[in-house]
Amino acid sequence: QVQLVESGGGLVQAGGSLRLSCAASGLTFSKYTMGWFRQAPGKEREFVAAVSGTGGSTNYADSVKGRFTISRDAARNTVYLQMNSLKPGDTAVYSCAADRYGLRYAQISEYDYWGQGTQVTVSS
């Protein structure tokens, strides 16, 4: 069965960096757009970033543009989210997800598979 397993979350001070990883198994990795979403306490889940199956196209939420970078490694079936210049407002549970078609990459309902999430906490 399909599994998406995130890692790399933790506690970091404002201005610091973290790199999240999401290891995928049970699917043909190159056929899926991969996305990162986050959910802060009391808030709706929101889109963060997405990368196409080939890795040639990336998209970001305005709130993270210029600070976060999404990438993927086909040999490892892994997608990454490099997060720099972190702010307390970035505190959330971050989840990766896989979308077979990638046409509406920012929409939660388009994604077929989800990981369990990893906590990121940014202290001021």
Side-chain angles (χ1 to χ4, degrees), residues 5 44-45 50 53-54 70 77 84 91:
V5 180
E44 303 270 322
R45 181 177 282 178
T54 63
I70 189 170
N77 277 17
N84 299 329
T91 294

Side-chain angles (χ1 to χ4, degrees), residues 26-61:
L27 51 72
T28 305
F29 188 61
S30 63
K31 292 188 182 296
Y32 284 79
T33 287
M34 299 299 295
W36 284 98
F37 290 78
R38 67 186 182 185
Q39 187 167 20
K43 293 189 176 180
E44 303 270 322
R45 181 177 282 178
E46 64 176 3
F47 168 74
V48 174
V51 58
S52 62
T54 63
S57 176
T58 57
N59 291 280
Y60 298 91

Side-chain angles (χ1 to χ4, degrees), residues 8-105:
L11 173 64
V12 64
Q13 287 190 328
S17 298
L18 280 175
R19 189 176 82 153
L20 305 184
S21 300
C22 171
S25 61
L27 51 72
T28 305
F29 188 61
S30 63
K31 292 188 182 296
Y32 284 79
T33 287
M34 299 299 295
W36 284 98
F37 290 78
R38 67 186 182 185
Q39 187 167 20
K43 293 189 176 180
E44 303 270 322
R45 181 177 282 178
E46 64 176 3
F47 168 74
V48 174
V51 58
S52 62
T54 63
S57 176
T58 57
N59 291 280
Y60 298 91
D62 287 343
S63 59
V64 307
K65 242 176 231 179
R67 300 188 298 123
F68 290 11
T69 303
I70 189 170
S71 61
R72 63 193 296 158
D73 184 334
R76 290 182 168 81
N77 277 17
T78 298
V79 61
Y80 303 99
L81 186 68
Q82 178 67 43
M83 306 187 294
N84 299 329
S85 302
L86 282 161
K87 306 174 182 179
D90 294 318
T91 294
V93 174
Y94 284 71
S95 300
C96 69
D99 172 8
R100 179 63 181 85
Y101 298 105
L103 298 178
R104 289 176 287 275
Y105 51 82

